[in-house]
Amino acid sequence: MAVATANQTIGPYWHLIEDASWADLTRFGAAGDRIVLTGTVTDGAGDRVTDAAIEIWQSSPPASPDFPAYGRCRTDGTGAFRFITLKPGPVAGVGNAQQAPHIAITIFARGLLQALTTRLYFQDEPLNETDPVLSLIEDAARRRTLIAQPVAPGAWHLDIRLQGDNETVFMEV
Amino acid sequence: MTTNTAPFRPMTAGSQPPNDTPEYGSTRLRHPTRPLLRIPQGVTETTSPIFAESRFPPIADLSMATGKPALGERIIVRGRVIDEDERPVPNTMIEIWQANAAGRYDHPGDQHDAPLDPNFHGEGRVFTDTDGWYQFVSVKPGSYPWGNHYNAWRPNHIHYSLFGTGFGQRLITQMYFPGDPLLALDPIYLSVPDPAARERLIARFDLDITAPARALGYRFDFVLRGRNATPIEQA
Ligand SMILES: [Fe+2]
């Protein structure tokens, strides 16, 4: 058996492969419930992380020629990112379990030797109460680090804290 | 074509660098302090985006991206993408980026006082063939200083990004070159605990890949995480 290749940091110069259009998952003409996802990334000192690559991947709606279901966006000079995508619906889980609508988020940056993975959920989704991942988090304040808040019609916001007070729940997949 | 949704096996102990690596100063305020939450792998984790060459055109010769030759020692990098069960990963996208031969990135954030090369940008993208093989042409990147500690220099390296067949296989890594004296001093390379795992990040010089009177050849293989179950899949 072979062993998986070691990860190494994406470093500060990954923008050489950046295509800003990747932040718009509707660019190939996908139709559906279009939403804007915004957020910021801060470090353990509360400073904005301005050189990260944020990736999103969702299994609902499923990927198709019109909808890559995957996007990548830089954090800008204020540590902010912004995606345009389609709002996910419930996702089948193990057995009969239904997962609440969610989007996987992966964070790469200088100073991260391997990616951090988390999930974004949506405030006021009834399935959040029984979601098999959210249910693993006993502390309600910790659970809230994964719940995006509505900031305008069709616009959702989630702040990601890499370290310290209110540290985002990161996951081992 | 069916999709394999079997969960990925855990990473082998010591094969991956911990995010809390004090010798690499930028980790200090960026690594989480709480333990990672182990989650059950569902369809979100076991499937991945699909990149079609028609929409993401290959850039397989970084040494001629402008139509004119870049300065530096021309190289061919060739290898395979396989999983931990040594099965090839076909038709998968590999993103590539690197400094020029002088050790300078064509990036506004790179202020190292080494020359830019108007014929070198440093971005590439290739796809594996049906048997997992990939190849690209470039120039050997130079080493460059960085601010981690006094007189710190990164060993020569090329950055890679791979997606595989599931988001749990996502890999971003760096490939190094054999015989580089800076490897023994580099906290990023040394962050991988298992010496054998980090040595697998070093490409191998390969005379069979070397093109006579044209370019030096290096072999570099990627291994992506294996899956727990291996259901038979038929198209
Ligand atoms: Fe680099």
Side-chain angles (χ1 to χ4, degrees), chain A residues 1, chain B residues 2-10 41-48 83-87 89 163-169 224-231 233:
Chain A
M1 196 195 85
Chain B
T2 53
T3 306
N4 190 343
T5 56
F8 294 105
R9 296 195 291 265
Q41 294 179 38
V43 65
T44 307
E45 289 73 35
T46 59
T47 60
S48 79
D83 69 14
E84 289 182 317
D85 299 305
E86 302 186 28
R87 292 180 301 200
V89 182
F163 292 84
T165 59
F167 219 54
Q169 275 183 334
L224 305 181
R225 280 171 79 185
R227 295 184 189 257
N228 257 335
T230 54
E233 291 168 72

Side-chain angles (χ1 to χ4, degrees), chain A residues 13, chain B residues 105 144 154 157 159 174:
Chain A
Y13 305 127
Chain B
Y105 285 90
Y144 56 85
R154 291 301 324 282
H157 63 276
H159 296 263
Q174 301 180 25

Side-chain angles (χ1 to χ4, degrees), chain A residues 8 55 65 72 110 113, chain B residues 19 30 55 95 170 173 176:
Chain A
Q8 296 273 269
E55 293 186 342
R72 182 159 67 204
R110 171 180 62 85
L113 284 158
Chain B
N19 273 324
R30 292 187 167 190
R55 273 187 176 149
E95 298 176 285
R170 187 86 175 85
T173 191
Y176 301 96

Side-chain angles (χ1 to χ4, degrees), chain A:
Chain A
M1 196 195 85
V3 174
T5 303
N7 281 264
Q8 296 273 269
T9 181
I10 199 170
Y13 305 127
W14 68 270
H15 307 86
L16 282 178
I17 58 164
E18 184 187 26
D19 180 336
S21 76
W22 288 23
D24 181 355
L25 286 72
T26 65
R27 69 191 182 282
F28 299 131
D33 184 3
R34 197 165 173 273
I35 57 170
V36 176
L37 289 182
T38 57
T40 61
V41 183
T42 47
D43 71 11
D47 290 331
R48 302 296 179 100
V49 173
T50 60
D51 53 9
I54 310 299
E55 293 186 342
I56 60 172
W57 165 245
Q58 55 195 89
S59 44
S60 167
S64 72
D66 287 346
F67 183 62
Y70 161 82
R72 182 159 67 204
C73 183
R74 67 159 76 190
T75 54
D76 66 13
T78 67
F81 61 86
R82 181 179 188 273
F83 291 97
I84 299 170
T85 188
L86 300 181
K87 185 136 190 275
V91 173
V94 178
N96 294 322
Q98 281 269 75
Q99 301 186 69
H102 65 272
I103 292 177
I105 300 183
T106 306
I107 301 152
F108 301 95
R110 171 180 62 85
L112 290 178
L113 284 158
Q114 52 179 315
L116 295 177
T117 300
T118 185
R119 278 185 173 195
L120 177 151
Y121 288 86
F122 297 86
Q123 174 71 24
D124 295 332
E125 286 284 346
L127 282 170
N128 287 350
E129 301 306 316
T130 54
D131 179 83
V133 169
L134 286 177
S135 301
L136 295 172
I137 309 166
E138 280 165 28
D139 180 346
R142 296 274 290 149
R143 216 177 302 139
R144 275 198 296 276
T145 66
L146 307 182
I147 314 286
Q149 300 297 318
V151 288
W156 299 81
H157 186 88
L158 182 70
D159 290 323
I160 295 169
R161 296 174 186 84
L162 300 183
Q163 187 188 84
D165 292 342
N166 260 325
E167 183 175 301
T168 295
V169 174
F170 295 105
M171 297 158 192
E172 180 184 338
V173 172

Side-chain angles (χ1 to χ4, degrees), chain B residues 134-192:
Chain B
Y134 75 93
Q135 176 171 313
F136 66 94
V137 178
S138 190
V139 295
K140 187 174 179 183
S143 59
Y144 56 85
W146 61 310
N148 191 67
H149 53 272
Y150 173 71
N151 214 2
W153 293 77
R154 291 301 324 282
N156 305 336
H157 63 276
I158 296 178
H159 296 263
Y160 296 98
S161 148
L162 289 87
F163 292 84
T165 59
F167 219 54
Q169 275 183 334
R170 187 86 175 85
L171 172 68
I172 289 201
T173 191
Q174 301 180 25
M175 179 195 92
Y176 301 96
F177 289 83
D180 189 334
L182 294 169
L183 285 169
L185 307 171
D186 182 53
I188 293 178
Y189 172 71
L190 295 174
S191 68
V192 180

